[in-house]
Amino acid sequence: MSEVKIPSRTYRPETRLVHSGTLRSQYGETSESLFLTQGFVYDSAEQCEARFKGEDPGFLYSRFSNPTVAMFEQRMIDLEGAEAARATATGMAAVTTAMLAPLKAGDHVVAAKALFGSCRYVVETLLPRYGIESTLVDGLDLDQWRKAMRPNTRTCFLESPTNPTLDVLDIGAIAEIAHAGGARLVVDNVFATPIWQSPLTLGADVVVYSATKHIDGQGRCLGGVILSSNDFIQEHIHTFLRQTGPAISPFNAWVLLKGLETLGVRVKAQTTSAAAIADTLAKHPKISRLIYPGRADHPQAATVKKQMRAGSTMIGFEVKGGKAAAFRTLNALKLACISNNLGDSKTIVTHPATTTHQRLAPEDRAELGISEGFIRYSTGLEHPDDLIEDLTAALDKA
Ligand SMILES: *Cc1c(COP(=O)(O)O)cnc(C)c1O
């Protein structure tokens, strides 16, 4: 294997997405090779010994590392501006590892309340079972973050824009509060995508992705990735992953690696369409609330401007008439699929109150702004005019 030398960081993100991290075998293939192998053979017993001691740089076993996985990790490192990364089987494996691996009983976590349902389960239910207490705050209220910090707070965790109500949290300000209290900030950057937001440059210490979403972006496979400093990955993540085993399949890493090549093109097209759809919805009489991070009427428009390079592929809106009207709208859509993925090339609509957030108590949903009429809209790659016609025709039936 030889590394294809391109001085990655000197190129713009679109170029890195196509070339970064590529390793070529002795055959000089154009497309990245898929190393569907669980292990590797050694030239000699001495080489094997050296590799186990960490003195020989080759691969050992695909639970620890694999050439195709390494290419995916390197491409993510170059895109994100991180020092190191580890890929995982799913986004939740990345989140759980980033939260659990550096902590021990007696530590404390502060997190924003508005989290993807499974992330909230990890923070609110799982960690406390192992003696790691957690406090959930209104992520938009910096005073709540400050007041929640304790001497034993080690990790702060947020997602921005939030799922599904698309609040935009001030990553730089929250990083400052975390650091002042001796804690690290972990950011779940799924909704923003690496194309529109770089949390590490805003002050975050760790970034996690569900690569299942925009990075694959074609609804094919699950995957996740944790990006941070060399020290954090070596000290906390490397051994935890190696010994507990939530490894990504080389096949999935290969799919994601090819997904990265078109990530920029897809996310830009999806965002342009989302902006046009949001403008149409804003004027629609059947809509009582519209949230789109790219519009001047977004409640945190100033924060969006400060930390994001563009709006979002995601739109949130509330249909007048509650659950019945929302369901009539979903059922009348001919093009958009009713599903629970997002960031896909196919447009996907979700009713969070009865799906991704049905586990929450009704009061908790109300507090997060997830009303019965609320719909999450993930804009795909269809022609925007077709999507607008589909949506306005469905709203006529709401
Ligand atoms: C989907 C998602 C996850 C979990 O990712 P999986 O790949 O489904 O495990 C975590 N956080 C956010 C914000 C997500 O949208």
Side-chain angles (χ1 to χ4, degrees), residues 90-92 95 116 119 159 188 190-191 210 212-213 222-223 342:
T90 65
M92 281 321 302
V95 171
F116 179 74
C119 297
E159 118 195 1
D188 180 336
V190 164
F191 271 55
S210 164
T212 314
K213 310 297 166 55
L222 300 167
L342 61 95

Side-chain angles (χ1 to χ4, degrees), residues 151-169:
N152 59 339
T153 306
R154 295 283 170 267
T155 298
C156 294
F157 179 53
L158 65 85
E159 118 195 1
S160 181
T162 62
N163 175 35
T165 49
L166 309 179
D167 291 330
V168 174
L169 277 52

